[in-house]
Amino acid sequence: MSILKMSFTGRRSLALTATAVAVALAATGCGGDSGSSAPTLPGNTGLGGDGVIAQSVYDAAPVATDADIPAGSAMDAIRKRGYLNIGGSLDAPLLAQQNPVSGTIEGFDADMAKLLAKYIIGKPEVKTTTIGTQTREAMLQAKSVDAVFQTYTITPQRATQVAFAGPYLTSGLAVGVRKDETSIKSVKDLAGKTVIVGANTPAVTALPSAAPGSKQIAFGTDPQALQALLQKRGDAYVQDFTLLASGAKANPGMKVVGEPFTTEAYGIGLNREDTQFKEFVNNWLKKIQADGTWAKVWEGTLGSVVEGGAPTPPALGSADGS
């Protein structure tokens, strides 16, 4: 446990001044989240928005009936506890990043966790434990957390140790361009263009077939590549979608266009022995996909830096290991 940082949001934290909260967070690396304890959230303002979803999304989100939660189940234990205990991150822009002023955790993964908590408990109460990629399986096997929301790639090998609900999000290589670029809408428009890539990344081998005739210019780090794009040393930057979205959030001069053109499926990590909980979480995913909640979360977070509407959510069970 020494390598982990526990975090939990109490409503009292909002009474502190912004400076005091920021100092406290910097000193302890702790914080937490609860959708219901956040200040009034602005709505999605579209491309260039604030990266948070509207409070109305939480208010309208579904809640499981008593019949959906059998006595003695994991869901019953969570409901009685009063919060969902998850493994996640605090430093992933647009996915799960802690707001230094409010103390809330914002982003696609964080909001999905809050909505699952709302479904089980009736309110979006979440306790987040920051967790390393090497410890996720052990934490789930030990039931130290109820679930992992952390862009957790579904693989058959990992599925021998944990269960994956979903996939709930797909990523893969995507295209970033400068904000004023209008001629490039997807990877299909990169033929004949100068494309920035990260050295030794999957883009190096994927681009020749995805964009025949494109010319590559490679940089050693993601910040170097982003700087090169903004300096017009290339027409576009091809990188993993989540990295591009984070880059666009930090650099208003760029945006992401089109959908990923390779596929990496993310699942919600669960204890492998609890098939009942996996079925319950998958049923919840079906509900929020069908009623439009999933799309609203995407538009308010990752979609705030992506040109175009929300993509079609991935089909449940479509990834090997899910």
Side-chain angles (χ1 to χ4, degrees):
M1 294 292 290
S2 61
I3 63 172
L4 302 174
K5 302 172 184 176
M6 302 298 295
S7 59
F8 184 65
T9 290
R11 295 173 189 272
R12 64 184 180 279
S13 65
L14 297 179
L16 302 177
T17 65
T19 300
V21 172
V23 170
L25 294 175
T28 65
C30 297
D33 206 13
S34 164
S36 63
S37 63
T40 300
L41 297 173
N44 174 35
T45 55
L47 193 65
D50 293 331
V52 296
I53 65 174
Q55 182 64 45
S56 59
V57 178
Y58 294 119
D59 295 340
V63 178
T65 66
D66 290 343
D68 293 324
I69 300 183
S73 65
M75 303 80 79
D76 184 42
I78 294 166
R79 178 177 277 188
K80 289 176 177 174
R81 185 198 301 144
Y83 62 88
L84 179 67
N85 185 18
I86 71 157
S89 302
L90 303 178
D91 58 355
L94 296 177
L95 289 164
Q97 183 178 40
Q98 190 162 42
N99 185 315
V101 175
S102 67
T104 60
I105 306 173
E106 301 163 349
F108 189 90
D109 279 346
D111 289 316
M112 291 291 285
K114 293 175 198 173
L115 290 168
L116 178 58
K118 168 78 184 294
Y119 188 62
I120 298 172
I121 305 163
K123 52 187 178 181
E125 296 290 347
V126 173
K127 173 182 177 181
T128 300
T129 299
T130 56
I131 192 170
T133 56
Q134 290 83 12
T135 57
R136 292 182 294 201
E137 287 81 16
M139 294 287 284
L140 287 169
Q141 289 167 349
K143 299 186 178 180
S144 299
V145 294
D146 300 314
V148 170
F149 288 77
Q150 197 182 39
T151 55
Y152 199 177
T153 302
I154 301 171
T155 70
Q157 190 278 329
R158 286 174 175 166
T160 64
Q161 302 176 69
V162 301
F164 286 106
Y168 69 102
L169 178 68
T170 54
S171 184
L173 294 173
V175 181
V177 297
R178 288 179 294 279
K179 197 67 169 284
D180 59 356
E181 171 61 58
T182 58
S183 65
I184 300 174
K185 300 292 186 182
S186 73
V187 68
K188 296 179 180 178
D189 299 319
L190 297 183
K193 303 286 188 182
T194 298
V195 181
I196 296 164
V197 298
N200 299 316
T201 66
V204 173
T205 53
L207 262 180
S209 58
S214 59
K215 175 186 175 184
Q216 294 185 20
I217 176 171
F219 292 87
T221 68
D222 185 58
Q224 290 172 347
L226 287 171
Q227 184 179 36
L229 175 68
L230 297 174
Q231 292 174 340
K232 300 185 179 181
R233 297 166 69 181
D235 300 302
Y237 174 31
V238 171
Q239 180 55 281
D240 182 85
F241 169 78
T242 56
L243 286 175
L244 287 179
S246 293
K249 179 64 176 174
N251 297 277
M254 70 167 287
K255 61 184 178 183
V256 186
V257 294
E259 295 185 20
F261 59 93
T262 62
T263 301
E264 187 165 352
Y266 298 142
I268 301 168
L270 305 170
N271 182 282
R272 190 168 183 271
E273 305 303 319
D274 195 343
T275 56
Q276 184 185 45
F277 193 31
K278 176 179 175 179
E279 182 180 2
F280 176 88
V281 176
N282 273 335
N283 286 336
W284 163 73
L285 284 171
K286 290 178 186 175
K287 287 180 184 291
I288 65 168
Q289 289 179 356
D291 69 9
T293 302
W294 185 96
K296 291 176 182 175
V297 175
W298 195 93
E299 290 167 351
T301 56
L302 293 168
S304 67
V305 296
V306 179
E307 196 170 66
T312 301
L316 301 180
S318 59
D320 288 344
S322 62

